[in-house]
Amino acid sequence: DEFEKYTQLIATNSIIVLRNERNDLISGAVMTLDGTQYTSNSDGLIFLKNVPLKNTGHLVQISHPLYFKTGKRIYPKKGIIELHLISKGASLQFSSQTASTVTFSGVSYQFPANALIDVNGLEYKGDVKIFSNHLNPVNPNFGAMMPSDLRAYDSDGKSVYLTSYGMVATELYGSNGQSLQIPPG
């Protein structure tokens, strides 16, 4: 792809600062970079020392129980790299075996009965916990909050950047804490 053909690895010394939408520091978040895990300290910091990063941007995954799991793209540079996570907030609950409508701050989800699967692709039957958070594109922190960097491919296979008119972060969990999904189709 166009982004990758100019890729070089550059050793970098950086401090990753993890914040939420209120700019509070986040401790205990796990950032995975090429299979290596780094955990933010009590000050919300991760120290990268002589770590090779792609000059075209390196995708990392960040997870924390109170925040939506997200991908972010970081670039090699000396100094501080600030990354923002989206709070899960309160959840709502419904039964997967009953058609349900769940509403969060102006966003409604309509689930037909028996419309969720587990990570193994098996139909899930039971209580569902849903987390949702609307990302408004007019919010000044929208770019910092959204996952990744909106890279995509157009119909000709060329690399492009998408424009967002808003997003909703959503996660579904079963009664044992297992991740749930909507099946294809």
Side-chain angles (χ1 to χ4, degrees), residues 73-94:
R73 194 166 296 275
I74 61 173
Y75 295 86
K77 68 176 191 176
K78 292 181 179 167
I80 296 173
I81 300 171
E82 285 205 25
L83 302 177
H84 288 77
L85 302 183
I86 304 165
S87 297
K88 284 184 182 177
S91 65
L92 295 176
Q93 193 165 320
F94 65 96

Side-chain angles (χ1 to χ4, degrees), residues 2-12 51-59 73-77 149 151 161:
E2 291 175 37
F3 293 112
E4 298 299 321
K5 68 183 175 184
Y6 302 106
T7 297
Q8 298 174 0
L9 291 176
I10 299 171
T12 189
V51 174
L53 297 177
K54 295 177 183 178
N55 64 319
T56 53
H58 216 100
L59 189 62
R73 194 166 296 275
I74 61 173
Y75 295 86
K77 68 176 191 176
D149 61 0
R151 289 185 188 189
Y161 286 98

Side-chain angles (χ1 to χ4, degrees), residues 58-73:
H58 216 100
L59 189 62
V60 299
Q61 294 292 323
I62 305 171
S63 60
H64 187 286
L66 300 178
Y67 298 89
F68 288 98
K69 183 176 181 180
T70 188
K72 295 284 188 176
R73 194 166 296 275

Side-chain angles (χ1 to χ4, degrees), residues 125-181:
K125 294 181 184 281
D127 288 335
V128 178
K129 189 181 284 190
I130 181 171
F131 293 90
S132 177
N133 196 327
H134 175 246
L135 299 173
N136 188 335
V138 298
N139 181 324
N141 291 328
F142 177 73
M145 297 303 299
M146 72 177 183
S148 198
D149 61 0
L150 295 182
R151 289 185 188 189
Y153 297 102
D154 67 13
S155 58
D156 296 325
K158 299 247 185 222
S159 298
V160 295
Y161 286 98
L162 300 174
T163 298
S164 178
Y165 295 98
M167 298 180 185
V168 179
T170 307
E171 289 183 3
L172 302 164
Y173 295 96
S175 55
N176 293 326
Q178 69 272 41
S179 182
L180 301 175
Q181 299 176 7

